[in-house]
Amino acid sequence: MSGKLYLCATPIGNLGDITERVLECLKEADIVAAEDTRNSRKLMTHFDIHTPMTSYHEFNKYEKADELVGMMLEGKNIALITDAGTPAVSDPGEVLVQKCAEAGITVTSLPGASAVITALTLSGLSTRRFSFEGFLPREKKERKTILEDIAKDTRTVILYEAPHHLKATLDDLFESVGNRRISLCRELTKRYEEVMRTSLKEAIDYYSEAEPRGEYVLVIEGRPKEEIEAEAAAAFENLSIEEHVQGYIDKGMDKKEAMKQAAKDRGVSKRDIYNALLK
């Protein structure tokens, strides 16, 4: 009978945030696979856990995943931890989970701390719909594509950023999305936790003088509804009402629905559209 993979969330700062279930799992697992064994050793020592550890990180994630899958197929239970937070989120653990799924190995997640959710709930921005982009790519072409997607996204967007890249990222965001609201969260759950709720322009001005410190989670306002409506209205200004309605008919709408949508686009009543077409 094969073993299992346990995804164990570890604290993102405050050690008191670890769950009893995770502590029990780390003690009972056959092996703990850690992103950085030196860093995780501090956690294990603090809670007096002596389970053997092995490294599993970005630079060995494929070959080591195969090795770990082999161990689980032999009956070993493995607990996976990252440096901080929930494994497999913007993390090499995603590869191990995929390989376990392919091999038919049971995977279970032991929930706990997550920088994404912690920052989102502190941001003061909309939490109903959001997207997580992790770290922006460094390669210029891919980075530009992602920033263009963020500019169009109506959901709240969450990014990770290192202090030495923060200023460049704020500049790129401002150039791509304009002066939207942003919450910059740092030192989450730690003694000097800080949440700066501001605008992109004000954040750029602030960090032109202040030096960024600590790892950041950036929570950015989604594209405002008013901006979308203004852009749509501008696009329809050059169309006659007949062309506007016909455009929707050409896309497969019946005439009634086309008139209704055109009225909504233009901010007028359906009767206004009907009367204009009669003329």
Side-chain angles (χ1 to χ4, degrees):
M1 184 175 178
S2 64
K4 294 182 180 179
L5 175 66
Y6 296 85
L7 306 176
C8 297
T10 53
I12 59 176
N14 192 317
L15 291 179
D17 290 336
I18 200 164
T19 68
E20 291 185 11
R21 187 177 173 213
V22 166
L23 290 175
E24 182 180 346
C25 182
L26 293 178
K27 291 174 181 177
E28 295 183 355
D30 295 299
I31 299 168
V32 173
E35 185 176 7
D36 185 334
T37 54
R38 294 166 301 178
N39 183 63
S40 296
R41 181 63 63 194
K42 300 172 187 176
L43 176 76
M44 302 283 277
T45 300
H46 180 84
F47 290 106
D48 195 27
I49 300 171
H50 305 284
T51 307
M53 298 177 69
T54 188
S55 63
Y56 177 76
H57 49 71
E58 183 66 28
F59 302 104
N60 71 354
K61 61 185 178 183
Y62 294 106
E63 59 269 26
K64 193 58 176 279
D66 290 332
E67 181 183 329
L68 294 173
V69 166
M71 292 180 184
M72 286 181 275
L73 289 173
E74 293 173 357
K76 300 287 187 183
N77 289 321
I78 295 178
L80 178 67
I81 59 176
T82 184
D83 282 349
T86 301
V89 178
S90 194
D91 175 82
E94 142 183 60
V95 172
L96 182 56
V97 173
Q98 291 169 354
K99 287 185 175 287
C100 284
E102 292 167 2
I105 294 170
T106 299
V107 180
T108 187
S109 183
L110 283 60
S114 167
V116 177
I117 300 302
T118 302
L120 176 66
T121 56
L122 290 173
S123 68
L125 298 173
S126 174
T127 62
R128 191 176 73 85
R129 298 174 67 242
F130 64 93
S131 63
F132 173 59
E133 289 288 350
F135 288 93
L136 286 177
R138 296 296 160 212
E139 195 275 319
K140 288 185 178 181
K141 185 175 180 181
E142 185 183 2
R143 186 180 180 91
K144 182 181 178 183
T145 298
I146 297 296
L147 286 167
E148 288 172 351
D149 289 342
I150 291 174
K152 293 180 285 188
D153 202 335
T154 57
R155 299 169 295 180
T156 300
V157 178
I158 305 169
L159 303 174
Y160 287 158
E161 194 51 276
H164 52 288
H165 290 307
L166 180 67
K167 293 181 182 180
T169 293
L170 291 175
D171 287 338
D172 287 348
L173 284 168
F174 181 76
E175 184 178 340
S176 299
V177 310
N179 194 28
R180 290 194 198 164
R181 291 186 294 164
I182 182 172
S183 291
L184 298 92
C185 307
R186 56 181 291 276
E187 297 294 287
L188 288 173
T189 77
K190 300 176 184 177
R191 182 177 180 182
Y192 297 108
E193 176 179 281
E194 179 183 56
V195 180
M196 180 190 292
R197 302 178 184 91
T198 183
S199 69
L200 274 164
K201 181 65 170 63
E202 289 172 344
I204 290 169
D205 290 343
Y206 176 82
Y207 282 108
S208 67
E209 298 180 4
E211 194 62 31
R213 297 181 183 278
E215 299 297 317
Y216 286 79
V217 184
L218 309 179
V219 187
I220 304 133
E221 177 184 28
R223 190 180 185 198
K225 181 182 178 182
E226 297 76 18
E227 184 180 306
I228 297 172
E229 290 174 346
E231 185 178 281
F236 299 133
E237 281 181 0
N238 296 324
L239 291 178
S240 68
I241 290 178
E242 292 85 350
E243 291 170 331
H244 195 162
V245 172
Q246 188 60 47
Y248 282 122
I249 293 173
D250 292 343
K251 290 179 181 179
M253 284 189 185
D254 61 38
K255 188 172 183 179
K256 184 177 179 181
E257 282 301 310
M259 291 168 62
K260 182 178 178 181
Q261 186 59 51
K264 183 178 179 182
D265 293 341
R266 291 174 176 265
V268 299
S269 70
K270 186 179 173 183
R271 179 173 293 278
D272 290 336
I273 299 295
Y274 178 76
N275 289 335
L277 292 177
L278 283 179
K279 294 177 183 178

